Amino acid sequence: MPAAPHPDAVAAIALTDRRPTVPAERLVAEMVPPPRFAGVSFGSYIPDGSQPSQYEAVQVLEQFAASLNTNGSGAPKRSWFRRSAPAPSGPAGIYLDGGYGVGKTHLLASLWHATPGPKAFGTFVELTNLVGALRFQGAVEALSGHTLLCIDEFELDDPGDTVLVSTLLSRLVENGVKLAATSNTLPQKLGEGRFAAADFLREIQGLSAHFRPVRIDGQDYRHRGLPEAPPPYTDEAVTERAAATPGASLDDFDGLLEHLKNVHPSRYGALLDGVESVFLRGVHQVDDQATALRLVVLADRMYDRELPITASGLPFDQVFPEEMLRGGYRKKYLRAISRLVALARDSAKG
């Protein structure tokens, strides 16, 4: 039998009831670092003492930011670390390569904060969605006046997107826009292990010429010395906690996954508007790749907004099968697991 209503029960939001629409103006206005990285800086980045590449990456980005500063002095700002690294030259941008959880997004957002505007920050998916909303020439016009374009989670999973982004970035570079990007793969390796990778290898190689690769080694900071995924709750406990939590969303995992098929990934952020914590019943392993990739995007948007997740069913470190974790999208799935587990831990602290 269902649990009795909590005396302080509130009406939880059902994400499956939402079908948001996002105007193009909002897409442009929201091209800023997500809330989790709204106040970060090079000084707040905590490098792993055993990983010199993390110190060196900060140096490279500090000097890159100084080169974009309009004060005309040409002198770099004070460095947070004593190590020195050569200032970037030649390519129009910086490419941060490293595993998930080494702080690439933190550093990319720090660069954005340290650079004079106008400037834009978005994920690769958000950039392609912007082009879809504004059309290609509209996107070129909207971004050409910018000092810097930061692209987080640079992915080339689709040949069409590869050509689109390659052409867009080439046009922006011609118009004087500097670029910075993060990914788990070096530019010349993008698409490796993916379906139809050979079909767009030429475009990938052309894209890589725009960036100076900067490697960041290290282990996932979210799991440094921390426990594994917390044990899941019961369905009844999830329902009760959601009823007692203002700003909670409450959905069955199956229903939410089905609903995501009918919501464009560019709207997943809007899907979470007003939500302060997420409650899910019946989390299970996701065997369909298209569904799994949609879940990855939703996990990214929940992580950006620092939404704790309370869930029943399987722990999040078991949500993707081993076959997927060995496939071409392995790094995407590992990043999603890392973020979902972190959000589940946040909920367990409450």
Side-chain angles (χ1 to χ4, degrees), residues 66-86:
S67 73
L68 300 178
N69 198 296
T70 57
N71 61 17
S73 68
K77 297 180 180 179
R78 179 179 65 86
S79 173
W80 290 100
F81 304 105
R82 293 182 178 178
R83 291 178 179 270
S84 61

Side-chain angles (χ1 to χ4, degrees), residues 29-44:
E30 291 185 346
M31 291 194 74
V32 298
R36 180 179 287 270
F37 301 101
V40 299
S41 67
F42 294 128
S44 66

Side-chain angles (χ1 to χ4, degrees), residues 91-108:
I94 297 292
Y95 193 103
L96 300 179
D97 171 70
Y100 53 93
V102 296
K104 299 187 303 298
T105 301
H106 183 131
L107 289 175
L108 187 69

Side-chain angles (χ1 to χ4, degrees), residues 12-307:
I13 298 166
L15 298 179
T16 51
D17 290 339
R18 294 183 159 190
R19 288 170 175 79
T21 58
V22 183
E25 300 78 34
R26 174 174 171 176
L27 292 175
V28 176
E30 291 185 346
M31 291 194 74
V32 298
R36 180 179 287 270
F37 301 101
V40 299
S41 67
F42 294 128
S44 66
Y45 178 72
I46 303 175
D48 185 337
S50 65
Q51 301 293 340
S53 64
Q54 296 187 9
Y55 291 89
E56 292 164 4
V58 174
Q59 285 286 311
V60 170
L61 290 172
E62 283 186 321
Q63 295 186 36
F64 188 62
S67 73
L68 300 178
N69 198 296
T70 57
N71 61 17
S73 68
K77 297 180 180 179
R78 179 179 65 86
S79 173
W80 290 100
F81 304 105
R82 293 182 178 178
R83 291 178 179 270
S84 61
S89 60
I94 297 292
Y95 193 103
L96 300 179
D97 171 70
Y100 53 93
V102 296
K104 299 187 303 298
T105 301
H106 183 131
L107 289 175
L108 187 69
S110 299
L111 173 64
W112 187 90
H113 289 300
T115 301
K119 53 194 174 181
F121 184 109
T123 64
F124 180 83
V125 171
E126 290 168 336
L127 181 61
T128 57
N129 291 335
L130 180 71
V131 177
L134 301 182
R135 302 298 184 233
F136 181 84
Q137 189 56 38
V140 171
E141 293 174 359
L143 297 173
S144 284
H146 286 55
T147 302
L148 174 70
L149 171 62
C150 293
I151 310 166
D152 199 18
E153 300 162 14
F154 204 90
E155 298 286 352
L156 296 178
D157 302 326
D158 179 86
D161 285 347
T162 303
V163 175
L164 177 70
V165 173
S166 176
T167 307
L168 175 65
L169 295 185
S170 295
R171 289 284 296 277
L172 294 178
V173 169
E174 290 172 1
N175 291 334
V177 181
K178 298 298 183 180
L179 308 173
T182 73
S183 183
N184 296 322
T185 313
L186 286 168
Q188 62 267 30
K189 296 293 185 180
L190 284 169
E192 193 173 73
R194 308 285 177 83
F195 177 74
D199 293 343
F200 55 94
L201 182 59
R202 182 178 65 255
E203 287 295 331
I204 291 169
Q205 291 173 333
L207 264 176
S208 67
H210 292 315
F211 298 96
R212 172 189 174 180
V214 176
R215 178 71 187 176
I216 306 178
D217 298 306
Q219 61 177 317
D220 186 350
Y221 78 92
R222 288 179 288 267
H223 297 276
R224 248 181 244 164
L226 295 174
E228 296 301 315
Y233 295 86
T234 64
D235 287 352
E236 293 76 11
V238 170
T239 303
E240 289 177 0
R241 285 173 174 257
T245 305
S249 69
L250 174 62
D251 294 272
D252 291 317
F253 191 61
D254 266 334
L256 180 58
L257 294 181
E258 184 66 25
H259 184 61
L260 293 180
K261 295 180 182 178
N262 303 311
V263 180
H264 192 276
S266 66
R267 301 176 181 176
Y268 287 5
L271 191 70
L272 298 166
D273 283 352
V275 175
E276 297 180 14
S277 54
V278 173
F279 292 79
L280 296 173
R281 290 179 298 221
V283 173
H284 59 77
Q285 195 168 81
V286 180
D287 298 316
D288 175 69
Q289 185 150 267
T291 302
L293 291 172
R294 285 190 287 268
L295 178 59
V296 168
V297 176
L298 182 65
D300 288 339
R301 301 293 80 77
M302 291 191 293
Y303 185 77
D304 289 344
R305 289 159 175 75
E306 300 182 289
L307 302 179

